[in-house]
Amino acid sequence: MSDTHAQTVAFVRDTMLPEQPPPASEAGVIKWMRENLFKGWFNSILTLLSIFFIYKIVSGAYPWFANGIWNTSSLAECREMLDGMTGACFSVLTERWNQLLFGFTYPTEAYWRPTLAVVLLLVAIAPVLYPKAPRKLMLFTAIYPFLAFWLIWGGTLLTPLMVLVGLIAGYFAFKKFERQSFAMGMLAGLVATVVVIWAGGVIPAAMPDVLALQAIPSRDLGGFMLNMILGTVCVSLSLPLGIMLALGRQSSMPIIKWMCVVFIEFIRGVPLITLLFVANVVLAYFFPPGSNIDLVLRVIIMITMFSSAYIAEVIRGGLAALPRGQYEAGDSLGLDYAQSMRFIILPQALKISIPGIVNVAVGLFKDTTLVSVISMFDLVGMIRGPILASTEWNGVYWELWGFAVFVFFIVCFSISKYSQWLERQLATDHR
Amino acid sequence: MAESANAPMAVSDEVAIQIQNMNKWYGSFHVLRDIDLTVYRGERIVIAGPSGSGKSTLIRCINALEEHQKGSITVDGTVLSSDIKNIDTIRSEVGMVFQHFNLFPHLTILENCTLAPIWVRKIPKREAEQTAMHFLEKVKIPEQANKYPGQLSGGQQQRVAIARSLCMRPRIMLFDEPTSALDPEMIKEVLDTMVELAEEGMTMLCVTHEMGFARQVANRVIFMDAGQIVEQNEPEEFFNNPQNERTKLFLSQILGH
């Protein structure tokens, strides 16, 4: 069809054009390299320079890894074996492996307990993280915290069991009074829980040897285990607390709203490290005299409060992003506040908030190393203190800190990858 | 039933909604002024008027999405108070369809339709699903039941929204400009669904600019301006012989071209 025709003759298309593959020069490795690496002289120079630098780094680091010594018992011995060659003394990791993982006072014969707790943790979080995992595992997830407490701290199984019974009693009390009003239900649940735990406390006290493991006090916990405990507990507590704070901040009841606002703004305005010092020293003054609240528990309270304030703000952003129509649609169908939050608002708001929540969770996990400042021996505390200060390993910085970086990176990167996967799973609205 | 649609005033004398001397303010702005309106069961009322005249606000007051400050609203014999339980009861009897559909994007079409019956009406899941399929067939999209709202066209989404309301078996349906956000091609499919609903005798209050719809199914047209009911009449009379100056101007503008 010539141009003259196109302008002078009315045109009606009777066949649609089929799709065609692109020409060969638009595909393949050569094209990719030309486009991305050698497009113009400037790009080519940059590419060559980058290759040179990568070569320098790899050629420098490779012998350090390759000549690494894995089986000596002190730095001096390791240097002797290296005999002037470049090489890493990874033997500090193998020799102090248990200390890095469990701290230096956790009883050797009990190492299997936290190890088992970690393995069970993987089972317990499976139904939470993967929607396809069997739903019945949720039951195990529910009892896992009590099981893990028993495994790590030891003592009689009756203690965590009593707490579990108390919570179940609280749940039923809540259900019973919920019909009257939500606030009544909460109050009844709280009272029932406290009463049952307090009254039931006599049972484990009377029978300290029933199903008992060797009791291990909190101050003996350490190493990466301590980071894992603080990270897992604080993340799983601060998420529900953060949700409640975010909803509270939106509440139309002024007292609840202002309590939440003051809490969030105060916590966000204070450095975590000062809160930890408060937990370590000052907090004891606020508890009744004679009560000795465990240091790990105090630290957990502080870190949880800290991160829940941040999570609350992240979720508030998600709530604000939802159109008002979603609230109205829920209302117009006759759903009550709890139902429309649970089925309509929160699923959507939380989905929007995933990147922010993960950001806080990863930050929280790394911040657990701050406890080393208040003389607790987590992974960083162990490296800084007992290991680097020992006569055998004084001066092995690269290997130890490199190990700490590696371990934290693996965990945080996995969390980040998981969250990206989850976002893709939940992307139902614009498929 | 089809006959009653053509005989405008053929409705029962049972009162469905009674609004007496109702007033509402947004801050110091007087949005609704002395509204008196009685809706009989089976009546189909179209509310028209320029934007900002308070017509949406009026029907949103009926299921308490907006609070009124003075006067009373009685729905199905229940006086609307500020008590949450009372409001939830009325809301579960009154269905509402919105301009922007407001489907729940994270739930499938079927879940959208079964959520409220299961949790508010406490109907077993299987039964709720059967009811939902029944109404989805009625609005002619049963084959989309397992898709998500984002995968449907605007007209289909609005029909789902209608089905979702019907699943609660409401006695009264409120429509807040149900076709204003739709492409011209899709307006008809939604209106057809509404006509069908009207023919079955549903009590309907409908804010709309679709005057053809008003002529066809309404047995009363209400014209509002500046927060007041300015004129109301049977559609024939309303369109052919408007009395108020403001009504005449409005009709000449929307019917004039």
Side-chain angles (χ1 to χ4, degrees), chain A residues 308-351:
Chain A
S308 65
Y310 280 86
I311 287 184
E313 286 300 277
V314 169
I315 293 176
R316 188 165 69 100
L319 289 171
L322 284 191
R324 237 171 81 88
Q326 292 292 309
Y327 293 84
E328 290 178 350
D331 285 346
S332 75
L333 287 168
L335 295 167
D336 63 28
Y337 176 79
Q339 287 167 341
S340 66
M341 286 300 136
R342 180 170 155 211
F343 299 118
I344 298 168
I345 305 302
L346 282 178
Q348 296 183 64
L350 289 179
K351 190 179 87 188

Side-chain angles (χ1 to χ4, degrees), chain B residues 4 13 30 36 103 120 124 139 155 169 172 176 178 196 202 237:
Chain B
S4 72
D13 48 7
H30 200 172
D36 280 299
L103 294 178
V120 180
V139 300
R169 307 239 180 231
I172 298 162
D176 188 2
E196 211 174 295
M202 174 67 78
E237 275 295 297

Side-chain angles (χ1 to χ4, degrees), chain A residues 240-320:
Chain A
L241 197 60
I243 292 173
M244 284 197 276
L245 283 170
L247 292 180
R249 195 170 182 164
Q250 280 209 326
S251 169
S252 52
M253 286 177 272
I255 296 181
I256 292 186
K257 180 178 177 170
W258 283 108
M259 271 165 46
C260 292
V261 170
V262 168
F263 179 87
I264 292 171
E265 295 303 332
F266 173 73
I267 295 285
R268 284 204 309 167
V270 178
L272 176 58
I273 194 77
T274 57
L275 287 179
L276 290 177
F277 277 118
V278 168
N280 192 20
V281 195
V282 191
L283 206 60
Y285 293 116
F286 290 101
F287 292 114
S291 68
N292 187 15
I293 304 287
D294 193 275
L295 179 60
V296 171
L297 180 61
R298 280 182 272 164
V299 167
I300 285 176
I301 292 174
M302 283 304 181
I303 299 182
T304 302
M305 284 188 350
F306 187 77
S307 47
S308 65
Y310 280 86
I311 287 184
E313 286 300 277
V314 169
I315 293 176
R316 188 165 69 100
L319 289 171

Side-chain angles (χ1 to χ4, degrees), chain A residues 55-247:
Chain A
Y55 168 75
K56 284 302 269 185
I57 291 169
V58 170
S59 65
Y62 177 72
W64 191 74
F65 279 104
N67 297 339
I69 307 286
W70 291 87
N71 52 6
T72 57
S73 58
S74 75
L75 184 59
E77 213 174 305
C78 170
R79 293 255 161 85
E80 209 168 286
M81 274 186 77
L82 280 172
D83 199 18
M85 281 191 306
T86 314
C89 288
F90 292 121
S91 42
V92 66
L93 302 179
T94 49
E95 206 242 356
R96 296 293 174 108
W97 181 248
N98 287 331
Q99 286 194 357
L100 288 168
L101 289 192
F102 303 108
F104 65 118
T105 43
Y106 203 81
T108 319
E109 66 279 8
Y111 283 164
W112 65 271
R113 282 156 50 180
T115 313
L116 179 61
V118 170
V119 174
L120 292 181
L121 174 69
L122 297 180
V123 181
I125 59 173
V128 182
L129 299 188
Y130 296 98
K132 290 204 183 79
R135 291 292 90 188
K136 283 193 181 134
L137 267 182
M138 272 296 193
L139 208 64
F140 179 71
T141 309
I143 59 168
Y144 174 77
F146 308 95
L147 192 61
F149 173 85
W150 180 58
L151 281 173
I152 292 169
W153 275 272
T156 166
L157 183 59
L158 294 177
T159 313
L161 214 54
M162 246 6 262
V163 177
L164 180 61
V165 169
L167 286 175
I168 292 173
Y171 174 76
F172 280 110
F174 168 74
K175 272 284 160 197
K176 189 148 174 54
F177 285 89
E178 190 197 10
R179 285 168 198 282
Q180 292 175 25
S181 85
F182 189 76
M184 271 291 282
M186 288 299 275
L187 190 70
L190 202 65
V191 170
T193 310
V194 172
V195 167
V196 171
I197 293 175
W198 178 73
V202 295
I203 300 175
M207 294 181 282
D209 297 325
V210 179
L211 291 169
L213 289 172
Q214 178 197 354
I216 297 163
S218 284
R219 62 172 178 279
D220 288 348
L221 302 183
F224 191 61
M225 172 178 70
L226 187 56
N227 297 108
M228 280 296 280
I229 294 173
L230 293 176
T232 326
V233 174
C234 294
V235 168
S236 37
L237 289 181
S238 59
L239 189 58
L241 197 60
I243 292 173
M244 284 197 276
L245 283 170
L247 292 180

